[in-house]
Amino acid sequence: MLRYLIKKLYIYILTFFFAVTIDWLIPRFMPGDPILVLVSRFSGLPESARVMYGYLIKAFGLDLPLWKQYLNFWIAVFKGDLGISIYMYPKPVLDVIAQAIPYTLVVLLPSILLSWIVGNYIGAVAARHRSLDSSMLPIFYILTSIPYMWLGILLAWALGVVLGIFPIAGAYSFSMRPNWSWEFITDFLRHWILPFLSLFIVQIGGWAIGMRNLIIYELEANYSRYLEALGASEGLIRRYAFKNAILPQITGLALQLGTIVAGSIATEVVFSYPGVGYLLLQGILNQDYFLVQGTFLFIIIGVLVANFVVDILYMVFDPRIRLSLGGESV
């Protein structure tokens, strides 16, 4: 088991290295000059702007050769230094991202976990009842094909603009400041509902379709026919089918994390929700190399850690992996 984990960890370290290298390269291929964007704030003082430009280009290390910038980037990453944000100068990128991470996690984690649980349950139920299956399957396909951004806009229009039930922008009212009062918590939850629903609803369809198809496949497998011939109860056969069907869904959970991150970015942009996705958009619009690098770095680490955790869970839930690690044939 230790060898298995070390092998997986080695793969993830290599993935991290190449992904972060691409993360460093992408902003530098963007057109424009980020320092000019910052200096443009002093456009009314041309002499001061020229002096400021020369100072900032050196302060950010952008006057160095690319190979040295790349080397300095890795040294800074291992020191926990992601640089200074150009867009929110002079705030450190780490502080800017630390303020945005809670907003992203509070939307992502509940939408991922709840949609996985509810979707798998609905799919398993639909596989057992043909009448329910025939009516629910088209709905599942419609849900899973809806783009996150389009659904977010639709929900904002229907529930926010037309009905006026929920606010459509921000994480809380602009007149409030974060605190632990019930008034703020209630206001925060009202702003949270629409971003959460736009991610939750789309994901349910995919999980339900996957579980429904897997349950039907398992019920047609040889072991199910054998158990049926032995006189096993229908409930026992379905329990075995569910246990085997849930394993690919655990793998799918890891794969879904990559796409849900992209979905959260679109959702945060639609609702101006101050999470990592919205921060990434601001970094791109303002050509902030360091903010873009930092937000992508967070996304990379989050996806890799989540996939590694799912790999461990798969080893726990799948006895075939444990047997193969012990040298036994399966």
Side-chain angles (χ1 to χ4, degrees):
M1 189 175 295
L2 182 61
R3 288 198 305 270
Y4 174 81
L5 291 176
I6 291 174
K7 181 182 177 182
K8 284 288 183 181
L9 192 59
Y10 174 72
I11 293 172
Y12 281 116
I13 289 173
L14 281 179
T15 305
F16 174 78
F17 173 78
F18 286 111
V20 173
T21 298
I22 295 172
D23 172 32
W24 179 84
L25 286 171
I26 287 175
R28 283 158 178 79
F29 289 139
M30 293 168 55
D33 188 335
I35 303 301
L36 281 178
V37 176
L38 181 58
V39 174
S40 63
R41 302 174 188 177
F42 307 94
S43 57
L45 303 167
E47 291 298 326
S48 300
R50 276 194 291 270
V51 174
M52 187 72 71
Y53 181 86
Y55 169 77
L56 291 175
I57 203 79
K58 291 181 180 178
F60 284 104
L62 297 177
D63 60 326
L64 300 173
L66 278 179
W67 68 267
K68 188 137 190 196
Q69 290 185 43
Y70 178 67
L71 185 61
N72 289 342
F73 167 73
W74 275 110
I75 293 172
V77 165
F78 286 117
K79 289 181 178 178
D81 178 16
L82 300 181
I84 303 296
S85 171
I86 297 173
Y87 164 59
M88 304 187 71
Y89 184 83
K91 281 188 176 182
V93 169
L94 200 59
D95 292 348
V96 176
I97 294 176
Q99 294 174 359
I101 285 175
Y103 295 105
T104 293
L105 293 181
V106 82
V107 173
L108 270 185
L109 291 181
S111 65
I112 291 172
L113 297 177
L114 287 177
S115 65
W116 190 80
I117 294 170
V118 174
N120 283 323
Y121 177 78
I122 294 176
V125 172
R128 295 199 300 265
H129 302 89
R130 290 190 177 277
S131 58
L132 182 63
D133 181 46
S134 60
S135 60
M136 293 295 292
L137 193 59
I139 298 176
F140 295 157
Y141 279 114
I142 292 173
L143 290 179
T144 194
S145 62
I146 295 176
Y148 294 104
M149 180 175 285
W150 185 85
L151 181 60
I153 294 172
L154 184 63
L155 290 174
W157 174 77
L159 301 180
V161 177
V162 177
L163 299 178
I165 301 174
F166 301 108
I168 61 173
Y172 50 85
S173 298
F174 300 115
S175 60
M176 303 189 72
R177 289 292 177 267
N179 58 74
W180 291 106
S181 66
W182 282 112
E183 183 183 4
F184 175 79
I185 293 173
T186 303
D187 184 74
F188 178 85
L189 290 176
R190 291 184 68 245
H191 284 77
W192 172 84
I193 286 291
L194 290 182
F196 165 77
L197 285 178
S198 66
L199 296 174
F200 175 75
I201 292 174
V202 173
Q203 294 175 82
I204 280 183
W207 295 126
I209 291 172
M211 177 55 74
R212 176 254 183 199
N213 293 340
L214 288 167
I215 289 286
I216 292 175
Y217 173 80
E218 295 294 335
L219 291 176
E220 296 295 327
N222 290 335
Y223 74 88
S224 295
R225 300 293 188 189
Y226 181 68
L227 287 173
E228 186 178 359
L230 291 176
S233 66
E234 185 178 344
L236 178 63
I237 297 173
R238 291 190 181 278
R239 281 197 297 273
Y240 273 110
F242 181 81
K243 287 180 179 179
N244 287 328
I246 200 66
L247 294 176
Q249 292 292 81
I250 294 175
T251 303
L253 181 61
L255 298 175
Q256 178 75 359
L257 289 171
T259 57
I260 191 61
V261 167
S264 73
I265 293 173
T267 300
E268 288 175 7
V269 170
V270 168
F271 295 103
S272 298
Y273 204 75
V276 174
Y278 184 75
L279 199 62
L280 176 61
L281 175 66
Q282 297 305 314
I284 293 172
L285 293 177
N286 291 275
Q287 298 177 340
D288 189 339
Y289 287 1
F290 305 99
L291 188 56
V292 172
Q293 288 171 186
T295 50
F296 269 126
L297 182 63
F298 165 76
I299 293 171
I300 291 167
I301 293 174
V303 171
L304 290 179
V305 169
N307 276 264
F308 186 64
V309 170
V310 171
D311 274 337
I312 295 174
L313 291 176
Y314 207 86
M315 182 175 59
V316 172
F317 284 108
D318 193 344
R320 293 170 296 184
I321 293 180
R322 294 198 301 273
L323 291 174
S324 65
L325 293 175
E328 301 179 45
S329 59
V330 291

